[in-house]
Amino acid sequence: EAAVTQSPRNKVTVTGGNVTLSCRQTNSHNYMYWYRQDTGHGLRLIHYSYGAGNLQIGDVPDGYKATRTTQEDFFLLLELASPSQTSLYFCASSDIQGSNERLFFGHGTKLSVL
Amino acid sequence: QQKVQQSPESLSVPEGGMASLNCTSSDRNFQYFWWYRQHSGEGPKALMSIFSDGDKKEGRFTAHLNKASLHVSLHIRDSQPSDSALYFCAAIVGDNSKLIWGLGTSLVVNP
């Protein structure tokens, strides 16, 4: 089973603070994704990448940056955190996109912006 | 409007009973439907996908797709308390093969 590890599991910051969420996958998957999960909105795609150095914009990118440093590592950056970014964040990976892609998710990071 | 709509929002069934979850796409240009399950405190985990008309069975889980009505359902036979979770339907749609998520159905299986 594909392994996706996120850190930290919980994070509390203040409005205007800087936050970096980390994700590592160990299955040599090409695609990696950052989602946020909010009640009433389901899963919303923030950014994704199909390889080291590549970045694609998702559906809700405002206020977020992302960077894919290696095949394994994908980071989500909040440079001026706002309370509206309080959410549960998931990283996921997949071997392909489209067709019959299957996503493997991490356990999530719960972020609170006070 | 949500392109992938799930119903009901929540569902409660007794242990050993049948749970039936529904999902409809408003985009006729779909390729696959996926069902994911998310237990509390964890990330979603893929259950099964379906793209052909008819039934697909995996253990206690059966997915049924009707392409004409763009409707897919998931039936869980002999439901167990461990099946209590949030179930997402997701459809791969469009020429760019984008994955579109429903809002989920919360299932509670009562012992």
Side-chain angles (χ1 to χ4, degrees):
Chain A
E1 176 98 348
V4 179
T5 303
Q6 293 183 238
S7 62
R9 291 295 298 268
N10 292 280
K11 177 72 176 179
V12 180
T13 190
V14 296
T15 299
N18 290 343
V19 176
T20 298
L21 307 185
S22 302
C23 177
R24 167 166 284 196
Q25 56 96 2
T26 57
N27 293 279
S28 300
H29 285 169
N30 293 317
Y31 288 86
M32 295 186 74
Y33 308 82
W34 278 108
Y35 284 91
R36 61 178 290 174
Q37 183 178 18
D38 305 284
T39 302
H41 293 280
L43 288 162
R44 292 183 288 176
L45 181 64
I46 303 170
H47 290 297
Y48 66 101
S49 165
Y50 57 73
N54 175 264
L55 181 64
Q56 302 293 317
I57 294 172
D59 299 320
V60 290
D62 292 347
Y64 302 96
K65 292 184 179 180
T67 180
R68 180 93 175 266
T69 55
T70 65
Q71 180 81 352
E72 295 78 20
D73 298 305
F74 195 29
F75 300 92
L76 186 68
L77 295 79
L78 293 72
E79 293 185 331
L80 288 171
S82 72
S84 64
Q85 294 176 308
T86 292
S87 187
L88 183 57
Y89 290 87
F90 286 102
C91 176
S93 73
S94 69
D95 194 31
I96 57 175
Q97 187 187 37
S99 186
N100 193 20
E101 69 175 315
R102 171 178 175 163
L103 269 61
F104 294 86
F105 284 84
H107 278 72
T109 294
K110 184 177 180 181
L111 175 66
S112 297
V113 183
L114 305 178
Chain B
Q1 182 191 3
Q2 193 75 15
K3 281 192 170 184
V4 174
Q5 295 182 306
Q6 292 187 242
S7 64
E9 286 188 18
S10 61
L11 178 64
S12 180
V13 300
E15 183 175 356
M18 174 77 81
S20 295
L21 292 70
N22 301 293
C23 175
T24 302
S25 170
S26 60
D27 190 328
R28 192 158 288 279
N29 191 18
F30 79 93
Q31 301 173 34
Y32 281 85
F33 278 102
W34 272 97
W35 285 100
Y36 283 77
R37 177 166 78 175
Q38 183 182 24
H39 285 113
S40 180
E42 298 181 5
K45 184 174 181 179
L47 284 174
M48 60 194 303
S49 65
I50 186 168
F51 73 97
S52 297
D53 271 323
D55 293 338
K56 180 178 181 180
K57 184 178 179 181
E58 294 189 5
R60 296 184 294 110
F61 298 84
T62 299
H64 176 81
L65 175 61
N66 182 324
K67 283 188 176 181
S69 62
L70 303 177
H71 179 263
V72 64
S73 57
L74 179 69
H75 305 277
I76 306 173
R77 173 180 56 84
D78 188 25
S79 297
Q80 301 298 309
S82 58
D83 293 325
S84 296
L86 184 60
Y87 288 77
F88 287 105
C89 170
I92 296 176
V93 300
D95 295 332
N96 60 358
S97 299
K98 192 173 182 181
L99 186 62
I100 308 294
W101 295 82
L103 297 185
T105 292
S106 177
L107 172 66
V108 173
V109 180
N110 299 302

